[in-house]
Amino acid sequence: MTATDLVVARREAVATGVLVLALCRPDGGTLPEWAPGAHLDLVLGPDLVRQYSLCGDPGDRSVLEVAVQLEAGGRGGSRFVHERLAVGGTVRVAGPRNHLPLVDAPRYLFIAGGIGITPIRPMVAAADAAGADWCLAYGGRTRASMAFAEQLHGKYGRRVGLCPQDETGLLDLDTLLDKPVPGTAVYCCGPEPLIAAVEERCRARPPGTLHVERFAPKRVDAGGTAFEVELALSGRTVTVRPDRSILAALEEAGVAVLSSCREGTCGTCETVVLGGVPDHRDSLLTEDERAAGDTMMICVSRARTPRLVLEL
């Protein structure tokens, strides 16, 4: 599935400021397969593309569901969804794509903060269906702001710990992560302070234990030195100045490249690296993927070598 128009079949408020959109094909046909952790690009305008995690049932091929939280200080995507996407309307989508796959593990610890519950919800269902040992710690500002909270607690009982901040305070990460159990995969999605705190507490765990998804980019050093990018498929070479990203340099040279967030969080611009060493500055790739150097996000990452060769 590259890009197609889907119909808004249902809009439902599931928490304060959070809407679920159910998207279907106009002809009622079957939608693409997806797995927990996948997200969908909503093309809301010429320069307004946003990524939302799929939060429904992967087994239901008739509908794709996303939950969108209204961000008052955002860049306009959530406001467009809340104010202008009505039932019966159409929206162009691309995907699904998955940068947070659920790995096989005997046990899971899921940690969600706020709207970060969206990719976690289908993961919980998959882990439960597989008979794995799992638990979910879910925090939010208030109980009313926590999408799917009561449904999850009602279905799974004590395996789901709800922590509204105004009632119980912040998630007790020290207790959750104090005594690691071998074989436990940790999944975390939510605001940057939560993810950073979880990363710090998991630093000593074996590689591949922690899996995170960010809605905002990690802080990285900006700028750098100039370098060249060779486009293997066209034979062109483009110079990337210190004040330009690879993506911006390519666009200025008239090279069309798919992109969306321009922050290193969505994966739309992921490009195969054929030569040279990338300077990874994204918020998506794992440490192993960075070390391999096979791909890079050209919207933010740069080069550690004078030249990169990209499959473009």
Side-chain angles (χ1 to χ4, degrees):
M1 181 179 179
T2 52
T4 189
D5 290 330
L6 299 183
V7 175
V8 180
R10 175 170 48 87
R11 275 172 54 110
E12 179 185 0
V14 294
T16 302
V18 181
L19 283 178
V20 165
L21 296 183
L23 306 174
C24 301
R25 283 181 44 169
D27 61 4
T30 301
L31 290 162
E33 291 185 70
W34 62 277
H39 70 261
L40 201 65
D41 293 356
L42 268 57
V43 185
L44 306 173
D47 297 307
L48 193 62
V49 182
R50 297 292 182 265
Q51 294 74 40
Y52 298 106
S53 297
L54 290 165
C55 61
D57 177 7
D60 185 353
R61 302 281 299 282
S62 69
V63 65
L64 294 172
E65 294 184 6
V66 296
V68 181
Q69 177 175 277
L70 180 61
E71 299 287 352
R75 295 175 295 162
S78 66
R79 187 168 62 251
F80 184 100
V81 170
H82 277 250
E83 296 177 0
R84 299 179 61 180
L85 275 186
V87 172
T90 61
V91 60
R92 173 144 291 205
V93 307
R97 290 181 289 115
N98 199 336
H99 290 283
L100 189 71
L102 185 66
V103 300
D104 290 331
R107 59 189 60 84
Y108 299 92
L109 170 59
F110 299 109
I111 302 173
I115 198 62
I117 192 62
T118 51
I120 299 295
R121 185 190 187 206
M123 291 184 180
V124 163
D128 193 69
D133 182 13
W134 65 270
C135 66
L136 164 65
Y138 178 15
R141 293 186 304 277
T142 66
R143 191 175 295 269
S145 72
M146 297 168 63
F148 313 118
E150 297 308 321
Q151 297 96 318
L152 287 165
H153 190 265
K155 184 173 183 179
Y156 300 113
R158 293 184 179 180
R159 287 192 171 191
V160 176
L162 301 180
C163 300
Q165 186 176 344
D166 63 339
E167 298 177 22
T168 62
L170 296 173
L171 286 168
D172 185 358
L173 298 180
D174 289 331
T175 298
L176 285 169
L177 298 166
D178 179 45
K179 297 178 180 179
V181 178
T184 301
V186 181
Y187 279 80
C188 179
C189 186
E192 181 59 27
L194 171 65
I195 293 178
V198 172
E199 285 180 327
E200 178 61 31
R201 288 163 174 80
C202 289
R203 203 171 300 282
R205 298 194 179 198
T209 296
L210 176 61
H211 310 264
V212 303
E213 182 170 60
R214 284 179 160 86
F215 296 135
K218 293 189 291 187
R219 292 182 180 179
V220 295
D221 294 333
T225 59
F227 58 94
E228 291 186 334
V229 171
E230 179 184 334
L231 311 182
L233 301 184
S234 67
R236 296 182 61 183
T237 297
V238 175
T239 298
V240 181
R241 304 199 307 267
D243 63 342
R244 289 287 187 272
S245 66
I246 297 174
L247 176 62
L250 294 179
E251 289 177 335
E252 290 170 2
V255 180
V257 183
L258 285 176
S259 66
S260 178
C261 73
R262 296 176 180 261
E263 296 178 330
T265 58
C266 76
T268 302
C269 70
E270 186 171 7
T271 302
V272 173
V273 179
L274 300 176
V277 181
D279 177 7
H280 295 291
R281 303 186 182 188
D282 64 276
S283 302
L284 271 173
L285 297 176
T286 66
E287 290 304 317
D288 287 345
E289 289 169 335
R290 291 178 178 225
D294 298 329
T295 68
M296 66 184 300
M297 308 302 164
I298 61 173
C299 65
V300 292
S301 296
R302 300 185 66 78
R304 296 188 182 276
T305 48
R307 175 181 287 242
L308 290 175
V309 183
L310 302 181
E311 192 176 64
L312 291 171

